[in-house]
Amino acid sequence: MATRSVVVKVGTTSVTDATGGVDHSVLATLANDVVGLMREGWEVVVVTSGAITAGWAEVGAGRGRPHDAVTLQAVSAVGQPLLMSAWRDAFAREGVAVGQVLLAPLDFSNRGQYLHARSTLAALKSLGVVPIVNENDAVADAEIRFGDNDRIAALVANLVAASHLVLLTDTEGLFTADPRLDPNATLIEEVQAFDATLLALAGSSTSGVGSGGMASKLAAAHMATWSGVTTVIAPARALSPLSASLAETSGFGTTFRPRPERLSARKAWIAFAVASTGTVSINQGALQALEHHGRSLLRVGVTGHAGAFEDGDAVDVLGPRGEVVAKGLVRVGADSFDDGDDVVIHRDDLVLLRRL
Ligand code: GLU
């Protein structure tokens, strides 16, 4: 059996109170829950939101939350130490130390940094320290900032090869309809597989703070199911919400089953963590060779390319009708496309997206 390892993400509305300050009682409950699981042999990584909201409670003087990215990023620098200090206190009461790990999109897309982050998380684990992760909002490029920790949590789950991802939030889980609008909406306790209907169920966030909403939770769960990770969306303000999620307590949260044919960690990284810097268009014959025969993409099947991609970059592969059919790492840069290797994308570096 795989190691019992869980990444638990707690949303902004769950770690802060009505004033925007850190809600110490929620952190105390969670730290107790996490440490209880660690004593049972679980490895736990916490992903926390709330830096921006806590920071604005500190310096905003009661004014409305700002909207421009630069101010929000600056405010996160105020809130992040407040958040960490609260997590530190909560875990200290349980006799466990915490370590802060701030990650930006580039840490996921650059494979060297990605593997380095993995080593750091592994080293924290061997020290018995609970990693507390957030996006490095203060310095991450505003244009490419993830902006929601659901996605980061799913990427971290892939990074540490977690068996479970638990997204703790301010709703009970995924419902058949928006429960605020439809009194007949019921909790979906288990999702075996993603389909178009399920993705359409995702509403948009209306909470005002926190940037995730159900859509980004479903995207995170989708990503996780492809990495072999069981995902649970559950309410944070509950008795031992993490243990209850992992125990699949009846009536508590929504559990998403992983797919039987999981992507390798590397392919999941290509599919979900790396941003494409260009496109390569292919003909019908090449599409057949990729999708039905598991072949590499050869230059002979390429009908065009766009973007300033370099050797090793990720590109979207477009089928004959211009639809995205795959994503992969090119073995040739755009500048030298016609003189490079015959293999444009090796099959080991190629993910067929129409199967996702
Ligand atoms: N990283 C943001 C913060 O700590 C939260 C992003 C999110 O809402 O998921 O404030």
Side-chain angles (χ1 to χ4, degrees):
M1 191 186 127
T3 318
R4 296 195 302 168
S5 153
V6 56
V7 173
V8 54
K9 181 256 173 179
V10 205
T12 295
T13 49
S14 305
V15 295
T16 57
D17 60 22
T19 67
V22 177
D23 187 332
H24 296 272
S25 65
V26 170
L27 269 54
T29 305
L30 286 172
N32 178 270
D33 202 2
V34 167
V35 173
L37 286 162
M38 288 166 70
R39 297 211 171 102
E40 287 173 21
W42 283 84
E43 291 165 8
V44 187
V45 175
V46 175
V47 177
T48 185
S49 299
I52 293 175
T53 297
W56 191 243
E58 178 86 350
V59 295
R63 286 169 290 157
R65 186 183 165 99
H67 294 292
D68 70 294
V70 175
T71 307
L72 290 173
Q73 288 189 262
V75 167
S76 78
V78 177
Q80 182 61 28
L82 301 174
L83 193 58
M84 270 320 288
S85 140
W87 279 112
R88 191 237 171 221
D89 291 349
F91 274 96
R93 279 193 290 278
E94 305 291 335
V96 171
V98 297
Q100 169 180 270
V101 180
L102 298 177
L103 295 168
L106 283 179
D107 298 320
F108 291 100
S109 64
N110 176 302
R111 189 139 178 99
Q113 276 170 243
Y114 183 78
L115 297 176
H116 192 73
R118 180 154 83 189
S119 309
T120 304
L121 289 167
L124 285 169
K125 181 184 76 189
S126 47
L127 290 168
V129 171
V130 175
I132 310 277
V133 176
N134 194 359
E135 181 161 13
N136 196 348
D137 289 316
V139 299
D141 182 328
E143 294 297 315
I144 61 163
R145 220 160 55 94
F146 286 130
D148 78 77
N149 277 352
D150 298 315
R151 186 177 152 89
I152 290 188
L155 290 168
V156 170
N158 181 42
L159 180 71
V160 301
S163 55
H164 290 75
L165 168 66
V166 177
L167 303 172
L168 295 179
T169 183
D170 55 3
T171 65
E172 301 297 311
L174 178 68
F175 284 77
T176 50
D178 187 336
R180 289 161 302 192
L181 308 175
D182 183 346
N184 296 321
T186 52
L187 180 71
I188 300 171
E189 291 201 34
E190 183 176 36
V191 172
Q192 291 287 353
F194 266 84
D195 57 19
T197 325
L198 179 59
L199 289 167
L201 273 174
S204 58
S205 174
T206 53
S207 63
V209 293
S211 36
M214 194 49 82
S216 85
K217 281 171 190 57
L218 287 173
H222 184 221
M223 195 187 302
T225 57
W226 275 97
S227 309
V229 178
T230 300
T231 302
V232 185
I233 299 176
R237 289 174 199 273
L239 210 61
S240 306
L242 183 55
S243 309
S245 298
L246 296 171
E248 298 185 11
T249 306
S250 172
F252 188 77
T254 303
T255 302
F256 298 77
R257 300 286 166 212
R259 294 185 57 101
E261 73 286 26
R262 64 155 79 174
L263 289 173
S264 67
R266 182 177 159 76
K267 288 208 174 182
W269 171 74
I270 293 171
F272 300 116
V274 193
S276 295
T277 52
T279 60
V280 169
S281 301
I282 64 172
N283 62 28
Q284 188 59 35
L287 183 58
Q288 287 272 110
L290 263 48
E291 290 193 334
H292 300 293
H293 304 289
R295 301 271 163 74
S296 297
L297 175 62
L298 304 180
R299 193 200 337 267
V300 57
V302 174
T303 56
H305 60 88
F309 54 85
E310 292 175 12
D311 182 3
D313 278 358
V315 297
D316 287 333
V317 178
L318 308 182
R321 285 188 296 281
E323 75 283 26
V324 180
V325 294
K327 189 172 163 191
L329 306 182
V330 279
R331 297 222 161 166
V332 50
D335 284 349
S336 52
F337 200 85
D338 297 324
D339 330 305
D341 205 290
D342 269 350
V343 175
V344 172
I345 302 176
H346 190 274
R347 62 187 193 172
D348 292 346
D349 298 330
L350 186 81
V351 187
L352 299 168
L353 296 175
R354 294 208 289 195
R355 303 224 179 120
L356 297 196

